[in-house]
């Protein structure tokens, strides 16, 4: 099996000319780390596994995209062709360009010790071990199977970084110059600052958002930095096999319910999931919110939101007309969204990009830009 050509093409896509990461991507066999994955086809999760036409399979393995490796509790490695799991993705192999981007935000230097949170497939761990040396890299994941599989796959390439099946939101052993997470957190776990050496750099995303935190630990034990201008999104941390579901019947209510309050919205229906900064602001103000969107052949647009506290909202309109909005529950989610959009019109942009970040030793994460403030 000749994979080098595919890896070289991936390096062209995922890295810049002259980048120290370019030869590492070009010489790391991604298919070893992601032999099987899930693809969404017509609303159904379907297994993608090696086939007789290995060129097509290799092409999929070396595309610069994230590959879903676990849906709910079912690993693609353990699935058969007739399996079609239901639920949310719970693990993936991150697209290589984003892995490289996160490492670049970390500003890795020779001789530094790296803690990677979110081993996943182990592909990023391999790149880090080649860059810094295997003895400088520690990688954690909450899923014991992923750790075992990554250890075997790394070992097949002669790499033996330190791997451990650990809930990284709890205690962490060791001290590190860099902590880089490919899972979303809210807030930053206090143990991360405890494990980060003074002057060390933390790179992580806020769960449910596309916001990248870049922060450096100071002598007083706090970490100070900014939200990067670039975007990145990762699955949030979890402690069990799956994420907690929304309350029974809530999604159905959001999609079809009458609502306690029925009003006319200020702005056209929005696909929140495709409006990254708006979605990030919404998550900061209503953490845990889930959104959905559809448009029919007649141009009728429908957007819904649901929150674990039982709140939901739905807006329906044809084209860009003012929508009819149904809302119920403790929060008026569409009003929160309209407030975000009003802020944008008033100020010309949302404050999340470039916001200052202060992380205190107890894990409180404070964002600020101008007069805008939020504490996670």
């Amino acid at each position: 099996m000749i994979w080098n050509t595919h890896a070289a093409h991936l390096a062209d896509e995922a890295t810049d000319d002259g980048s120290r990461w370019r030869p590492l991507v070009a010489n790391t066999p991604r298919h070893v780390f992601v032999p099987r994955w899930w693809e969404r086809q017509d609303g159904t999760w379907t297994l993608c596994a090696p086939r007789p036409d290995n060129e097509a399979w290799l092409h999929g393995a070396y595309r610069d995209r994230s590959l879903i490796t676990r849906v709910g509790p079912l690993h693609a490695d353990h699935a058969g062709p007739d399996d079609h799991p239901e639920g949310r993705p719970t693990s993936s192999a991150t697209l290589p360009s984003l892995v490289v981007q996160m490492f670049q935000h970390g500003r890795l230097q020779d001789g530094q010790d790296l803690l990677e949170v979110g081993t996943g497939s182990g592909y990023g761990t391999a790149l880090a071990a080649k860059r810094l040396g295997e003895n400088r890299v520690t990688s954690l994941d909450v899923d014991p199977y992923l750790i075992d599989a990554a250890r075997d796959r790394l070992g097949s390439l002669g790499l033996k970084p330190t791997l451990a099946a650990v809930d990284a939101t709890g205690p962490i052993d060791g001290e590190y110059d860099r902590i880089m997470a490919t899972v979303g957190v809210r807030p930053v776990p206090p143990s991360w600052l405890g494990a980060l050496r003074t002057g060390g750099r933390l790179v992580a995303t806020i769960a449910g958002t596309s916001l990248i935190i870049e922060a450096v630990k100071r002598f007083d034990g706090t970490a100070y930095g900014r939200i990067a201008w670039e975007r990145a999104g990762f699955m949030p941390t979890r402690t069990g096999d799956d994420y907690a579901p929304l309350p029974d019947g809530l999604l159905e209510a959001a999609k079809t319910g009458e609502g306690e309050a029925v009003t006319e919205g200020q702005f056209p229906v929005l696909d929140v999931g495709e409006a990254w900064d708006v979605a990030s602001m919404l998550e900061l103000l209503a953490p845990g919110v889930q959104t959905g969107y559809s448009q029919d052949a007649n141009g009728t647009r429908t957007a819904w939101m649901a929150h674990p506290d039982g709140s939901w909202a739905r807006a329906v309109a044809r084209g860009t007309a003012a929508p009819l909005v149904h809302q119920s529950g403790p929060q008026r989610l569409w009003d929160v969204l309209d407030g975000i959009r009003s802020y944008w019109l008033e100020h010309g942009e949302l404050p999340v990009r470039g916001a200052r970040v202060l992380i205190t030793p107890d894990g409180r994460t404070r964002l600020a830009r101008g007069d805008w403030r939020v504490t996670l």
Side-chain angles (χ1 to χ4, degrees):
M1 180 184 301
I2 300 175
W3 55 269
N4 307 74
T5 300
H6 294 277
H9 180 68
L10 176 58
D12 291 340
E13 286 189 286
T15 66
D16 298 322
D17 289 341
S19 168
R20 295 186 66 168
W21 296 98
R22 194 179 188 90
L24 304 183
V25 174
N27 290 285
T28 302
R30 192 184 188 211
H31 70 279
V32 169
F33 295 93
V34 200
R36 301 152 71 88
W37 62 89
W38 295 108
E39 292 191 348
R40 194 78 164 167
Q41 299 178 358
D42 298 325
T44 300
W45 290 109
T46 301
L47 185 67
C48 184
R51 300 187 297 262
D53 56 336
N54 273 342
E55 268 308 299
W57 169 71
L58 276 175
H59 178 73
Y62 285 89
R63 288 178 60 191
D64 187 28
R65 61 167 182 159
S66 293
L67 300 175
I68 303 300
T69 56
R70 191 176 186 263
V71 175
L74 185 57
H75 288 281
D77 289 346
H78 301 156
D82 295 330
D83 287 319
H84 302 286
E86 296 183 357
R88 297 169 61 184
T90 48
S91 189
S92 68
T94 303
L95 66 160
S97 60
L98 181 53
V99 173
V100 170
Q101 177 187 331
M102 294 297 284
F103 283 138
Q104 289 173 331
H105 281 296
R107 302 181 186 177
L108 303 184
Q109 302 293 328
D110 293 344
Q112 292 179 334
D113 295 314
L114 169 70
L115 175 65
E116 177 194 40
V117 180
T119 308
S121 70
Y123 176 78
T125 316
L127 296 180
K130 289 184 175 185
R131 169 66 182 84
L132 296 173
E134 60 184 26
N135 61 320
R136 295 287 186 179
V137 176
T138 298
S139 187
L140 310 178
D141 202 290
V142 72
D143 188 328
Y145 171 72
L146 289 177
I147 289 295
D148 289 342
R151 183 178 288 112
D152 289 343
R153 291 162 182 171
L154 287 160
S156 72
L157 304 184
L159 298 172
K160 296 181 180 180
T162 300
L163 304 182
V166 173
D167 178 358
T169 62
I172 292 176
D173 293 331
E175 291 186 339
Y176 305 91
D177 302 294
R178 297 290 186 267
I179 296 178
M180 192 278 286
T182 53
V183 292
V185 293
R186 180 187 177 128
V188 172
S191 60
W192 293 16
L193 261 64
L196 190 63
R197 293 181 177 126
T198 299
R201 189 173 181 86
L202 166 70
V203 179
T205 56
I206 300 173
T209 78
S210 59
L211 306 178
I212 305 171
I213 293 173
E214 299 177 307
V216 175
K217 186 175 178 180
R218 304 190 293 191
F219 287 101
D220 62 2
T222 64
Y224 181 79
R226 288 193 176 273
I227 298 294
W229 292 104
E230 294 86 356
R231 299 174 173 90
F234 294 99
M235 297 175 190
T237 55
R238 55 183 170 83
T239 57
D241 276 344
D242 205 345
Y243 299 110
L246 290 169
D248 289 344
L250 188 62
L251 284 183
E252 185 61 28
K255 295 175 181 179
T256 63
E258 179 61 26
E260 299 167 352
V262 182
T263 58
E264 184 176 273
Q266 298 181 58
F267 307 108
V269 175
L270 176 69
D271 183 356
V272 175
E274 293 298 319
W276 284 33
D277 285 3
V278 172
S280 294
M281 282 286 289
L282 180 63
E283 175 66 25
L284 293 180
L285 300 177
V289 66
Q290 295 186 30
T291 66
Y293 174 85
S294 64
Q295 180 172 336
D296 67 18
N298 296 319
T300 298
R301 304 161 69 188
T302 302
W304 58 262
M305 297 185 284
H307 191 274
D309 70 0
S311 302
W312 62 264
R314 181 179 69 260
V316 183
R318 187 169 183 178
T320 58
L324 184 66
V325 179
H326 295 254
Q327 302 186 82
S328 283
Q331 302 184 74
R332 294 293 183 254
L333 295 173
W334 202 264
D335 293 351
V336 175
L337 178 63
D338 275 354
I340 294 169
R341 298 172 79 179
S342 292
Y343 185 103
W344 198 344
L345 289 175
E346 180 181 351
H347 295 86
E349 63 177 350
L350 293 175
V352 287
R353 303 288 162 198
R356 300 187 307 277
V357 177
L358 175 66
I359 309 169
T360 57
D362 61 1
R364 280 182 295 173
T365 304
R366 299 170 180 169
L367 310 183
R369 187 177 176 197
D371 295 331
W372 177 79
R373 303 282 190 278
V374 69
T375 298
L376 308 185

